[in-house]
């Protein structure tokens, strides 16, 4: 397990790499602080196309940093931030990154704690591009009213989702 302690070295390697395409660090005990450090490494990586940080306790503070980094990764197509304890603040930040990106095609935010406002912001980001995009919001906060596939898809003709997996 890399944890936060190993992120300094990894972030530096990511920053220097000209050919790294995939970061897959699922279940490595990376917290918000580790995500902040990793974000400094991926901030301007031109080759990164896939980042998967599934099942790490990143939560909203870490997602705020990662969202800023995602905005700068021009080749990034796949982001997997499932099971990261993300709530509305982190989802809204990521929605801003999705809105600014012309390359993201797959977003997995399943098993987080995203409520209605976070889901709405993700929907708005998708509608902004009017492109096919896979979004998985399965297992979100059941106490938040309206958190389901209709929050994302709704009846808006501008939304063109190829797949939505939601509970």
């Amino acid at each position: 397990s890399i944890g936060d302690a190993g992120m300094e070295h990894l972030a530096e390697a990511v920053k220097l790499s000209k050919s790294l395409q995939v970061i897959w660090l699922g279940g490595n005990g990376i917290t918000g602080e580790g995500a902040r450090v990793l974000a400094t490494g991926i901030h301007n990586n031109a080759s990164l196309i896939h980042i998967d940080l599934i099942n790490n306790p990143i939560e909203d503070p870490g997602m705020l940093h990662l969202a800023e980094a995602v905005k700068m990764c021009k080749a990034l197509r796949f982001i997997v931030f499932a099971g990261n304890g993300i709530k509305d603040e982190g989802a809204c930040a990521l929605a801003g990154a999705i809105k600014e990106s012309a390359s993201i095609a797959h977003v997995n935010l399943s098993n987080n704690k995203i409520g209605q406002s976070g889901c709405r912001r993700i929907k708005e980001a998708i509608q902004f591009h009017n492109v096919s995009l896979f979004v998985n919001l399965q297992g979100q906060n059941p106490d938040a009213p309206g958190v389901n596939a209709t929050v994302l898809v709704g009846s808006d003709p501008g939304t063109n989702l190829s797949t939505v997996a939601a509970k």
Side-chain angles (χ1 to χ4, degrees), residues 16-52:
L16 296 174
S17 175
K18 303 292 185 222
S19 60
L20 179 70
Q21 293 185 327
V22 177
I23 295 175
W24 194 339
L25 295 170
N28 269 285
I30 300 166
T31 68
E33 177 59 20
R36 181 193 65 76
V37 173
L38 180 60
T40 65
I42 66 173
H43 193 267
N44 285 311
N45 185 297
S47 60
L48 188 63
I49 59 171
H50 186 125
I51 184 165
D52 186 330

Side-chain angles (χ1 to χ4, degrees), residues 105-126:
H106 179 105
V107 179
N108 185 341
L109 296 172
S110 63
N111 300 313
N112 280 294
K113 301 171 184 174
I114 302 169
Q116 189 171 16
S117 66
C119 288
R120 286 193 192 284
R121 288 288 304 275
I122 300 248
K123 173 187 175 183
E124 291 166 5
I126 294 164

Side-chain angles (χ1 to χ4, degrees), residues 128-144:
F128 179 80
H129 287 292
N130 193 26
V131 295
S132 293
L133 175 65
F134 175 91
V135 178
N136 183 342
L137 289 171
Q138 187 173 16
Q140 298 311 311
N141 183 354
D143 297 327

